[in-house]
Amino acid sequence: MDSNAYIVKTCTSFIDIPNKIATAIYFSGCSIRCKGCQNKILWERDTSTIKSMSHVLAKIEENKLADSVVFLGGEPTDQMIFLIELCKNISKYKALYTGREFEDLPKELINNLNMIVCGPFRQNLFVKNRFPASTNQRYFKKEDEIWVLQNCE
């Protein structure tokens, strides 16, 4: 069965995954709503249209420039079932930006990702030109099937 999700846009990203070109999938709807969020316009689902799994997969395949896929929002994990199924159907390197903590993500999701930037954006912990943007956020990469917290200094 082809499931659906609220997707705002699909585009090419040169900045969201270090040293990679990605197809960026922007989900709409966010239950976290961080103060100072750069994508506040994506908090409400009515900023998007409903897209089918097959439509999103076709958009990823059409982007011959991209060697990876990144999920952004809004909050992609608010549409968890769709996100997990989408990840299972993509063979490329996959990254997720989420306001949720790594420890709160289901294993079925993290087992199908290669990179996760997690934690809510905290405006009072913002550091200009830092990746990720606030010091409470963490950046994990899967290396030889083991999740490794990356040094963000």
Side-chain angles (χ1 to χ4, degrees), residues 27-115:
F27 287 73
S28 68
C30 181
S31 60
I32 300 171
R33 300 180 181 228
C34 304
K35 183 178 180 182
C37 174
Q38 70 177 9
N39 290 339
K40 187 175 180 177
I41 193 168
L42 303 181
W43 285 359
E44 301 301 328
R45 285 192 173 172
D46 64 6
T47 59
S48 67
T49 57
I50 296 174
K51 303 286 190 212
S52 69
M53 178 78 63
S54 57
H55 174 85
V56 176
L57 289 170
K59 287 292 193 184
I60 293 166
E61 288 304 312
E62 287 171 12
N63 190 344
K64 303 301 182 198
L65 186 62
D67 58 359
S68 56
V69 180
V70 60
F71 309 108
L72 310 136
E75 178 53 52
T77 64
D78 280 358
Q79 299 178 70
M80 189 68 78
I81 294 169
F82 182 90
L83 180 60
I84 290 170
E85 289 307 310
L86 182 59
C87 287
K88 288 179 179 178
N89 284 284
I90 299 169
S91 59
K92 295 179 178 186
Y93 187 98
K94 296 173 290 286
L96 169 68
Y97 281 73
T98 178
R100 303 198 193 295
E101 297 296 348
F102 181 88
E103 297 79 11
D104 297 329
L105 299 172
K107 289 202 184 305
E108 191 174 13
L109 177 61
I110 64 172
N111 288 345
N112 288 285
L113 292 167
N114 306 96
M115 179 186 129

Side-chain angles (χ1 to χ4, degrees), residues 13 17 19 21 41 54-55 59 65 74-75 90 102 113 134-135 137-138 141 151:
S13 168
I17 303 177
N19 305 311
I21 300 171
I41 193 168
S54 57
H55 174 85
K59 287 292 193 184
L65 186 62
E75 178 53 52
I90 299 169
F102 181 88
L113 292 167
S134 63
T135 58
Q137 294 174 307
R138 296 177 294 161
K141 278 177 55 177
N151 185 351

